[in-house]
Amino acid sequence: MVRASLKVLVIEDHNDISSNIADYFQTQGASLDFAMNGEQGLNMALKEYFDCVILDLMLPKIDGLQVCAKLREQASRHIPIIMLTARDTLDDKLIGFQKGADDYLTKPFALEELWVRCNALAQRHLINCDHTLVVGPLTINKQTQQVQRDKKEIEIQPIPMQILTILMEAHPRAVSRSELCDKIWGEDTTDSDSLRSHIYQLRKAIDKPFNNPLIKTLHGIGFALACNPIKDTA
């Protein structure tokens, strides 16, 4: 499976710091977005998908602690957050973790260490995850790459398989076209026709042999699954 690039949101009001992070992270293959104040950063983190958020504490409009707390209250998923600040006392760190930070790095910092920490946070959600995804009548075994709908095995090509896996992991939220492209191709650009073709192949495999289509298009938003997750009753 193709490894997507890391998508990072940097919420930092100092351009020189943001530029240094951008220069280093981009050489590692990451894609970045930037916010200059807490309010803008909060809105971006809630509306778009990011693998990790680098969050300064001293920010205009809303400070970093409030941004972190609001993300934990309002986000539909756990967004990995690393606080990046000159506040280096134990009390400062404890408050940061209490507000919901996953990691805390004090300034000045080494770009190499920040990069490693961001990668570790982005991958942490994979630890202890079940290899089998179940959403409604759909099942994927991520180890064997086997897909079933209503317990009938279905053959799916590699990229449509990636698309289905992303939709199932995101369910019940919708996934935008840009998020799909970022996760599948990373920095390698692709045209909309290519994604459309793979979505068509996925629908042909998952929906065409059955009465009810599960892959739905939300115009102006993206794609989602029209089914309910099966809950573990054990």
Side-chain angles (χ1 to χ4, degrees):
M1 185 176 288
V2 178
R3 185 182 182 275
S5 64
L6 200 67
K7 186 171 182 181
V8 180
L9 173 63
V10 181
I11 309 176
E12 168 65 66
D13 63 331
H14 288 89
N15 283 325
D16 54 343
I17 294 176
S18 294
S19 296
N20 287 337
I21 294 172
D23 289 343
Y24 185 81
F25 275 40
Q26 286 170 351
T27 64
Q28 304 302 312
S31 61
L32 298 95
D33 282 332
F34 301 91
M36 294 292 292
N37 62 68
E39 184 176 87
Q40 180 189 23
L42 176 62
N43 290 334
M44 290 175 68
L46 290 173
K47 290 179 181 178
E48 301 177 45
Y49 182 95
F50 295 98
D51 294 300
C52 184
V53 171
I54 298 172
L55 177 62
D56 186 25
L57 292 192
M58 301 295 289
L59 291 167
K61 296 191 177 181
I62 305 176
D63 68 36
L65 292 175
Q66 293 181 71
V67 171
C68 189
K70 287 179 181 293
L71 280 177
R72 292 293 175 250
E73 292 171 2
Q74 299 175 28
S76 59
R77 68 179 184 95
H78 184 87
I79 305 170
I81 298 172
I82 179 168
M83 287 186 173
L84 190 63
T85 176
R87 297 180 184 175
D88 59 359
T89 70
L90 177 59
D91 285 343
D92 288 326
K93 294 176 182 179
L94 291 176
I95 292 171
F97 285 118
Q98 288 168 3
K99 293 295 184 180
D102 297 285
D103 202 354
Y104 197 106
L105 187 61
T106 56
K107 301 175 181 177
F109 59 92
L111 290 165
E112 295 90 340
E113 181 179 2
L114 179 61
W115 170 250
V116 169
R117 286 175 181 252
C118 286
N119 273 278
L121 290 180
Q123 294 299 315
R124 187 175 293 173
H125 74 282
L126 300 176
I127 299 174
N128 295 326
C129 283
D130 198 323
H131 293 298
T132 302
L133 291 172
V134 181
V135 177
L138 293 171
T139 303
I140 288 182
N141 185 312
K142 293 192 285 185
Q143 279 189 317
T144 64
Q145 296 290 285
Q146 290 178 311
V147 180
Q148 291 184 340
R149 177 171 175 178
D150 295 330
K151 299 185 178 179
K152 296 178 181 178
E153 197 155 324
I154 298 171
E155 296 260 345
I156 301 182
Q157 294 300 310
I159 291 182
M161 171 76 79
Q162 286 182 260
I163 294 172
L164 182 61
T165 301
I166 293 166
L167 291 176
M168 290 179 71
E169 288 178 336
H171 185 73
R173 75 174 178 88
V175 180
S176 69
R177 293 175 185 272
S178 62
E179 181 181 338
L180 282 173
C181 291
D182 283 341
K183 284 180 169 292
I184 295 168
W185 292 286
E187 290 295 299
D188 297 330
T189 57
T190 187
D191 55 40
S192 58
D193 287 340
S194 180
L195 178 60
R196 190 179 301 113
S197 174
H198 291 303
I199 292 286
Y200 172 79
Q201 292 176 33
L202 178 60
R203 284 194 164 114
K204 187 176 178 181
I206 292 294
D207 288 341
K208 191 172 181 181
F210 300 89
N211 292 328
N212 300 317
L214 297 180
I215 312 296
K216 63 179 180 179
T217 301
L218 303 174
H219 294 289
I221 299 174
F223 303 95
L225 294 174
C227 51
N228 296 318
I230 293 177
K231 296 181 181 179
D232 186 358
T233 57

